[in-house]
């Protein structure tokens, strides 16, 4: 089976989308890209995350050709393809209909630095792409043209998308964006949120580059 490890990861993280309340039903989708093979593994369209098996995950090229898999790929495969084309360092994309990111997008708001954790997106704020019908190349282009230097983007009246160097980091960014979006929403409900300055976020971005455990000494 082609991309077996990646297909297993997509099954595993698909379940996490539901258990960690980042999506409802079959909403959202996940892909992983292998630049050496030039192939992308992506969730199948419309199959319950808890019924999806590795063989249901579709392997396709970035030109849209299906290389392996009997299922239809996610209706948003063009969205994933557009992001791999736009950001050559990205290896995984997570798209969700998470509640608070969607709420902000419906209100025509981008995601602001109400908490320093938003620096995980690589930019001081996360932009909002205009509304375009789901599953279209036009939507894919709208998101790719809006995301800029960020690794996440809200999608008006739809949801959000997060990119990463692997599926764990893309998923973690989607989760962090949702947490920050909930804080922004809660703060807007009872006052005027204080937004961290771009200069402060630049400091945090710098610190995030060396965050975590130092690499093991060989
Ligand atoms: Zn969607």
């Amino acid at each position: 089976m082609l991309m077996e490890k990646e297909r297993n990861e997509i099954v595993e993280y698909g379940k996490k989308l539901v258990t960690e309340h980042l999506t409802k039903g079959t909403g959202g989708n996940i892909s992983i890209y292998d630049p050496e093979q030039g192939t992308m593994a992506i969730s199948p369209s419309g199959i319950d995350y808890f019924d999806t098996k590795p063989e249901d995950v579709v392997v396709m090229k970035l030109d849209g050709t299906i290389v392996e898999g009997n299922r239809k790929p996610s209706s948003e495969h063009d969205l994933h393809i557009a992001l791999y084309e736009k950001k050559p360092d990205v290896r995984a994309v997570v798209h969700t209909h998470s509640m608070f990111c969607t709420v902000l997008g419906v209100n025509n708001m981008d995601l602001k630095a109400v908490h320093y954790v938003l620096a995980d997106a690589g930019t001081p704020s996360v932009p909002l792409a205009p509304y375009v019908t789901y599953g279209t190349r036009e939507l894919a282009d709208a998101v790719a043209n809006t995301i800029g230097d960020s690794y996440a983007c809200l999608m008006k009246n739809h949801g959000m998308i997060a990119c990463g160097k692997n599926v764990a980091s893309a998923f973690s960014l989607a989760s962090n964006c949702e947490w920050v979006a909930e804080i922004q929403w809660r703060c807007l409900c009872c006052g005027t949120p204080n937004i961290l300055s771009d200069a402060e976020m630049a400091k945090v971005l710098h610190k995030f580059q060396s965050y975590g455990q130092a690499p093991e000494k060989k």
Side-chain angles (χ1 to χ4, degrees):
M1 189 193 294
L2 293 172
M3 300 188 80
E4 187 170 358
K5 175 176 162 277
E6 291 85 355
R7 282 166 139 171
N8 279 300
E9 286 179 332
I10 287 170
V11 169
E12 178 194 342
Y13 278 88
K15 290 176 192 163
K16 276 165 72 96
L17 275 182
V18 178
T19 57
E20 300 200 9
H21 309 290
L22 289 179
T23 206
K24 283 257 186 193
T26 60
N29 31 71
I30 300 173
S31 72
I32 303 174
Y33 177 53
D34 177 350
E36 281 175 22
Q37 303 297 324
T39 53
M40 160 179 92
I42 186 163
S43 323
S45 179
I47 301 182
D48 188 288
Y49 286 112
F50 289 88
D51 294 334
T52 303
K53 297 177 182 62
E55 55 267 34
D56 295 323
V57 175
V58 181
V59 176
M60 59 197 305
K61 289 191 175 168
L62 296 194
D63 66 5
T65 314
I66 294 177
V67 179
E68 194 174 80
N70 298 320
R71 302 289 190 177
K72 261 173 64 182
S74 158
S75 53
E76 295 297 3
H77 58 270
D78 278 343
L79 177 60
H80 293 250
I81 288 169
L83 288 163
Y84 293 124
E85 287 172 345
K86 182 82 179 183
K87 292 186 170 290
D89 58 328
V90 166
R91 297 289 177 268
V93 173
V94 171
H95 165 53
T96 78
H97 296 170
S98 44
M99 178 62 72
F100 293 96
C101 284
T102 307
V103 164
L104 294 183
V106 171
N107 276 348
N108 207 30
M109 292 171 175
D110 56 1
L111 189 47
K112 302 279 191 205
V114 293
H115 194 286
Y116 74 83
V117 155
L118 194 64
D120 196 25
T123 45
S125 63
V126 167
L128 171 66
Y131 177 78
V132 182
T133 310
Y134 86 94
T136 60
R137 182 71 210 192
E138 290 72 26
L139 173 62
D141 291 341
V143 173
N145 291 334
T146 304
I147 194 166
D149 292 332
S150 187
Y151 282 83
C153 190
L154 303 188
M155 298 159 66
K156 198 170 184 180
N157 296 82
H158 188 151
M160 67 86 67
I161 194 140
C163 310
K165 63 183 188 302
N166 53 45
V167 69
S169 70
F171 187 92
S172 169
L173 177 56
S175 185
N176 278 339
C177 285
E178 178 63 1
W179 187 76
V180 174
E182 182 173 356
I183 291 173
Q184 186 171 330
W185 175 79
R186 286 182 181 274
C187 293
L188 286 164
C189 289
C190 59
T192 306
N194 177 55
I195 312 294
L196 297 172
S197 68
D198 286 1
E200 175 56 25
M201 286 299 279
K203 275 197 242 172
V204 178
L205 278 161
H206 184 70
K207 281 174 79 79
F208 271 20
Q209 284 164 11
S210 57
Y211 177 78
Q213 306 295 318
E216 269 182 50
K217 290 201 175 79
K218 295 236 165 84

